[in-house]
Amino acid sequence: LFIGAVATLFIVCGVSLNAQAAIFHQIPFEFEPFSSDLDWSDSDDDSNTGNTDLGFSVTIGGATYDAFDMDSNGYVQLLFGSQSPTEEGFGDLEDDLIDANPSSTYLLAAYDDLTSEYYNYFGYLLEPDRAIFYYDTETYYDEDSEYLNNFEIILNDTGKVQWNFDYADYNGYDYDLFSGLYFGNTGTLHELYSGTIPVEESWVYDEAHTHGDGQGEPVIPEP
């Protein structure tokens, strides 16, 4: 199953948007749950890790990275060396996060104003060839209501990115709830989902099946 056999390209405020881009393909649902075995976790609002070493280098969207900044609001900014993160926090995806530093690259999962200050947490686990970014969090709209949403992004050293959406229980949200990719080196935004958090779904972007700039070509879905 593909989102859009043919990607539709829009130019919005200087950002190329591939709406429902063919670079994503769906796989059978899988999820890696966590309790206390993450390398780092936090229960907070508008919090981020700062420049953190991945432990490996990865080429994705035509650029190479070896560090990241994970933010509580549903995004991971990819960095290289001692590059300083944007630390934008929350807001409108294009007018706030991307506009703050259009050259940055982001992995996005339900990006919005999210908070785990009252319930649960977000965090990461680093392995030799992959990084898992885990969220079990409320939207700020639902703060202190225990309406939790559980999802994760897995980045592999091959450039493969996987989104696993477990459950969603939000009553409302404030901005985009955007899942997908933004490649700052090409100014291209690839939309997987916007305005919703799916349930029991897994999706993959595989760098091996793109042209190196994040533009998709046909991929055979996994059985």
Side-chain angles (χ1 to χ4, degrees):
L1 175 64
F2 294 88
I3 286 189
V6 178
T8 303
L9 184 66
F10 300 93
I11 307 297
V12 182
C13 299
V15 174
S16 300
L17 171 62
N18 264 328
Q20 297 185 335
I23 64 169
F24 305 108
H25 67 280
Q26 190 171 13
I27 62 172
F29 172 65
E30 55 189 47
F31 198 83
E32 299 191 32
F34 295 94
S35 54
S36 59
D37 49 356
L38 293 168
D39 291 329
W40 178 93
S41 63
D42 194 11
S43 298
D44 205 353
D45 182 32
D46 300 332
S47 177
N48 65 295
T49 64
N51 183 303
T52 307
D53 186 26
L54 268 171
F56 57 84
S57 62
V58 56
T59 299
I60 183 171
T64 300
Y65 307 93
D66 60 9
F68 67 89
D69 176 42
M70 181 183 187
D71 194 279
S72 62
N73 293 297
Y75 73 80
V76 176
Q77 180 182 3
L78 297 182
L79 307 168
F80 186 80
S82 59
Q83 179 185 351
S84 297
T86 304
E87 298 184 1
E88 178 64 19
F90 65 90
D92 180 83
L93 174 62
E94 294 186 41
D95 292 340
D96 293 308
L97 180 63
I98 292 176
D99 189 61
N101 187 352
S103 65
S104 293
T105 287
Y106 298 102
L107 316 178
L108 301 128
Y111 167 74
D112 202 84
D113 191 359
L114 307 178
T115 178
S116 52
E117 186 171 12
Y118 288 92
Y119 293 99
N120 288 31
Y121 54 92
F122 73 105
Y124 62 79
L125 175 68
L126 300 180
E127 296 180 346
D129 59 354
R130 66 176 191 161
I132 302 172
F133 304 103
Y134 177 85
Y135 291 88
D136 197 24
T137 182
E138 299 179 293
T139 65
Y140 189 77
Y141 183 99
D142 293 334
E143 187 179 37
D144 199 19
S145 300
E146 205 172 1
Y147 292 156
L148 291 168
N149 308 281
N150 191 221
F151 49 89
E152 62 193 4
I153 310 171
I154 302 175
L155 172 65
N156 294 268
D157 63 358
T158 60
K160 174 184 172 182
V161 184
Q162 181 169 331
W163 291 258
N164 295 328
F165 300 96
D166 188 11
Y167 54 77
D169 189 26
Y170 58 94
N171 187 51
Y173 64 96
D174 296 301
Y175 294 98
D176 303 286
L177 282 187
F178 187 97
S179 298
L181 296 166
Y182 174 72
F183 296 129
N185 56 313
T186 58
T188 306
L189 181 64
H190 298 285
E191 178 184 318
L192 175 57
Y193 278 105
S194 182
T196 188
I197 305 175
V199 173
E200 294 189 356
E201 289 187 11
S202 294
W203 292 86
V204 166
Y205 162 84
D206 194 345
E207 185 77 2
H209 296 282
T210 70
H211 303 301
D213 57 359
Q215 301 304 311
E217 60 185 30
V219 184
I220 300 174
E222 298 181 22

